[in-house]
Amino acid sequence: MENMNRRKFLGYLGTGAAALAAASAGLGTLAPTAEAANSADHLFGFDKVKKTKKPHGFFKPIDIDWSNDLKLPEGFTHDVIAVYGDVINPAGDTFGMGADLNVFFPMNGSSDRGLLWTNCEYISDDKLLIDSAMPASMQGSSLLTKQLYHQGGAIIEVYKDANGSWKMDTTSTYARRHNGLTPFKLTGPAAASSAVGGATTVEGTWANCSGGMTLWNTVLSCEENFEKQAGLANRNSTHYGWVIEVDPFDVTDAGVDKNFTPRKHTSLGRFNHENTAMGLTKDGRIAVYMGDDKRGACVYKFISNGKYEPSKGKANSALLEDGKLYAANLGSGKWVELTIAAVRAAVDKSDFKVPTAIRAYSDATVDDLRAMFQTQADVLVNTHVAAIILGASPTDRPEDVEISPFDNSIFVAHTNNSHHGNIHGHITRFIEKDNDLGSVDFTYEIFAAGGRQSGFSAPDNLSFDSNGNLWTVTDYSPNQNSNIMKDFGNNSMFVIPTFGPNAGEAFRFASGPSGSELTGPWFTPDEKTLFLSVQHPSGTWPHRSGDSIPRPGVVAIKGFKF
């Protein structure tokens, strides 16, 4: 396998244009032999492996660490860009809590200035700042309002200054918050249905974990563990657990109105969404892969009925409103379509019994399940239950899912499942028939397994670089006194080659502050900067003067050399 041509890979990351070729044809289209020499050598990859046999040629892997600092290899540094409570715009809006997914949107094609979307996944009431982290107009609000405000997502404008340091532009007219108080339009078959109480618009988004970027340069953010906040807010829980879509550049109050209403796509199903990964089938339709972060959950794929047309720009969002939703059956190697007809046929059988994987989360009876499913909207609102009824495979917390831009194989981070002894998790690789994302047939393999032999445990978010390396962060509870976890140190970030003699081997690139997990790795198009979130740190990280509580936030990692 050859390195991907840099210019086209950057298009895959940022513009959507090269993604059409990437997802439709794989590496052959993206990296013709004549262009291979143009690929960058600042990251280790196929050329480095061939020449040096050292897949960690661009950095010296670091050891495990238990300190309360972000540790990086020699030659790498980081800038703290924004943390919980920081003011992000002239209106006084502030950066939310629980930083997770990062997606960088270049401005005017620049890798040195752009908009950064960061998920604000969770709140911790004991660390909620009372008024100092709220805009002046909202100070004195109720605890519930504070809880809703500090979740969701933050859009900030970031730039690299003359000294090479990354900073936040707090004068930005684009910077703003989408949170538990923001109205969202429901799209797709469940909108206006009785399954969501007839709603066409819902209030707020929260529990935003990971997500992804569309081919038309909007962000998809995923509502994961939404249930508790829905109960606290006395909201209809069917209005949450969806994939939301936002256009970071559509700011109506700044005179940049492209009429792109923030929306929730019901066609993508409702469950504990971790992330999305978007590509194209060979015949030009949209394919979206998704994970469901809970024990005994399934892996999903949505395929649009219509075809992607680059010239339509953000109007392609309508493709996410009409299509087919599938769940993976690992025993048969089939993507099972989730339809009301199939569910009804299953539950109406005289010998139907409630599957074990449903009983783990519900005390529903056979009669309850028969009553639950009347329309396709019910399938979309109760997606996990429908998938299990139809024979989809319960797996070990399928979190991040990513499509390899090199060969269209699908990498799934199965974080762990302590209920049956899979403490350290593994990364699964799906291979679609004919490398076509539109196929309903697949095979799979365990690409890398967590444990002492690999040095990592509980893989979570995934990301690719242009030399075919898979970057993963981990999510476990560090405990140096535990016989099981003492060998892993703080949660870390690893680089894993996907081809060559060291394929599947993990090399530690970063170690998070004590108590934290590292989340949301995302490169700038030139791959000179890696954005990374530090979630639920302890102590007073990032150790700024005057801070009395830890503040989750996002950093920019520098030091990648050409």
Side-chain angles (χ1 to χ4, degrees):
M1 181 180 289
E2 302 171 28
N3 287 58
M4 181 180 289
N5 171 267
R6 169 159 301 278
R7 175 175 53 81
K8 293 181 179 178
F9 181 80
L10 302 187
Y12 166 82
L13 285 179
T15 67
L20 176 62
S24 300
L27 179 62
T29 298
L30 284 166
T33 303
E35 295 181 331
N38 294 327
S39 60
D41 60 4
H42 72 292
L43 299 174
F44 69 76
F46 184 68
D47 290 339
K48 285 283 188 183
V49 171
K50 286 195 300 184
K51 294 175 182 177
T52 69
K53 305 298 184 184
K54 295 180 180 179
H56 45 61
F58 81 101
F59 73 97
K60 180 181 179 181
I62 65 174
D63 294 327
I64 66 169
D65 189 80
W66 295 99
S67 72
N68 196 23
D69 286 302
L70 176 60
K71 298 290 187 179
L72 300 171
E74 181 181 351
F76 290 84
T77 61
H78 72 276
D79 298 323
V80 176
I81 300 177
V83 299
Y84 168 59
D86 284 352
V87 173
I88 66 172
N89 62 18
D93 282 307
T94 58
F95 199 77
M97 187 176 274
D100 204 300
L101 168 76
N102 296 295
V103 182
F104 178 77
F105 295 85
M107 301 181 77
N108 300 317
S110 173
S111 288
D112 294 340
R113 180 179 282 269
L115 300 183
L116 185 69
W117 169 282
T118 301
N119 277 355
C120 305
E121 181 183 6
Y122 72 95
I123 49 98
S124 176
D125 286 350
D126 64 327
K127 296 181 177 64
L128 278 175
L129 303 183
I130 302 304
D131 277 335
S132 60
M134 303 287 285
S137 61
M138 300 181 67
Q139 292 187 6
S141 299
S142 67
L143 176 61
L144 176 60
T145 298
K146 292 181 172 66
Q147 291 171 337
L148 298 178
Y149 179 82
H150 290 303
Q151 297 180 83
I155 298 169
I156 60 175
E157 187 169 336
V158 296
Y159 67 98
K160 187 187 294 184
D161 69 14
N163 297 318
S165 297
W166 280 92
K167 296 180 179 179
M168 175 172 54
D169 184 351
T170 58
T171 69
S172 174
T173 56
Y174 293 100
R176 63 197 190 277
R177 292 292 312 282
H178 290 77
N179 53 33
L181 306 169
T182 305
F184 285 81
K185 177 177 74 173
L186 286 184
T187 76
S193 72
S194 60
V196 295
T200 57
T201 300
V202 299
E203 184 178 10
T205 184
W206 54 70
N208 302 75
C209 191
S210 188
M213 177 188 278
T214 67
L215 301 186
W216 45 92
N217 293 320
T218 58
V219 67
L220 297 178
S221 176
C222 296
E223 298 175 338
E224 189 190 37
N225 296 313
F226 59 89
E227 297 91 345
K228 180 179 178 180
Q229 186 64 63
L232 292 173
N234 195 27
R235 302 274 184 86
N236 184 334
S237 65
T238 66
H239 296 178
Y240 310 95
W242 304 103
V243 175
I244 73 167
E245 183 181 7
V246 173
D247 177 6
F249 290 99
D250 185 7
V251 188
T252 55
D253 59 358
V256 192
D257 184 7
K258 300 181 182 68
N259 297 312
F260 191 92
T261 305
R263 57 202 62 181
K264 299 190 180 190
H265 291 295
T266 69
S267 288
L268 301 182
R270 174 178 168 268
F271 44 89
N272 297 111
H273 282 276
E274 171 74 19
N275 89 308
T276 66
M278 180 178 288
L280 288 174
T281 66
K282 284 190 174 181
D283 64 1
R285 290 173 294 152
I286 292 292
V288 182
Y289 292 82
M290 297 169 285
D292 182 3
D293 184 11
K294 59 178 177 282
R295 300 178 183 92
C298 304
V299 179
Y300 296 90
K301 175 169 71 171
F302 168 87
I303 300 178
S304 65
N305 288 332
K307 294 184 178 182
Y308 173 60
E309 297 182 45
S311 62
K312 287 188 174 180
K314 293 177 176 62
N316 281 292
S317 175
L319 295 172
L320 299 177
E321 302 176 19
D322 179 27
K324 297 177 179 179
L325 184 62
Y326 300 84
N329 183 320
L330 275 67
S332 65
K334 296 283 188 181
W335 289 101
V336 180
E337 185 179 356
L338 307 183
T339 68
I340 185 59
V343 173
R344 289 298 317 180
V347 299
D348 285 341
K349 289 181 179 179
S350 60
D351 60 349
F352 174 75
K353 296 181 180 179
V354 179
T356 301
I358 293 176
R359 294 204 305 270
Y361 290 96
S362 170
D363 58 1
T365 65
V366 170
D367 287 340
D368 291 334
L369 295 181
R370 288 172 177 163
M372 180 182 294
F373 293 102
Q374 302 298 319
T375 68
Q376 185 64 21
D378 296 319
V379 172
L380 297 175
V381 168
N382 304 288
T383 305
H384 170 72
V385 176
I388 295 298
I389 288 173
L390 295 181
S393 299
T395 66
D396 296 343
R397 290 184 62 199
E399 293 207 57
D400 214 295
V401 184
E402 295 295 337
I403 305 168
S404 168
F406 298 88
D407 62 7
N408 268 4
S409 60
I410 314 302
F411 288 77
V412 183
H414 284 100
T415 298
N416 55 28
N417 190 338
S418 59
H419 284 184
H420 58 229
N422 185 5
I423 305 300
H424 300 302
H426 55 275
I427 299 173
T428 309
R429 179 172 174 254
F430 285 42
I431 300 94
E432 299 278 32
K433 183 179 180 181
D434 299 323
N435 293 325
D436 182 4
L437 303 187
S439 175
V440 295
D441 300 292
F442 67 91
T443 58
Y444 73 95
E445 65 189 26
I446 303 302
F447 170 70
R452 287 189 61 193
Q453 81 290 344
S454 62
F456 71 87
S457 178
D460 193 335
N461 299 150
L462 305 173
S463 184
F464 280 96
D465 66 37
S466 61
N467 283 318
N469 302 303
L470 185 67
W471 295 64
T472 185
V473 292
T474 61
D475 178 11
Y476 54 84
S477 297
N479 185 349
Q480 54 189 318
N481 296 315
S482 165
N483 288 332
I484 300 300
M485 303 308 299
K486 66 182 180 181
D487 295 318
F488 298 97
N490 291 340
N491 276 302
S492 299
M493 178 165 62
F494 294 84
V495 181
I496 309 177
T498 61
F499 54 83
N502 294 96
E505 291 187 45
F507 301 90
R508 191 185 310 264
F509 179 84
S511 177
S514 59
S516 74
E517 62 174 299
L518 303 176
T519 59
W522 192 278
F523 284 101
T524 52
D526 64 5
E527 290 186 275
K528 290 183 178 180
T529 301
L530 175 64
F531 296 108
L532 186 69
S533 291
V534 177
Q535 193 180 85
H536 54 73
S538 63
T540 58
W541 190 92
H543 312 304
R544 302 187 308 185
S545 176
D547 280 348
S548 60
I549 62 170
R551 297 181 185 248
V554 61
V555 303
I557 297 175
K558 306 173 297 182
F560 302 99
K561 305 293 185 182
F562 284 94

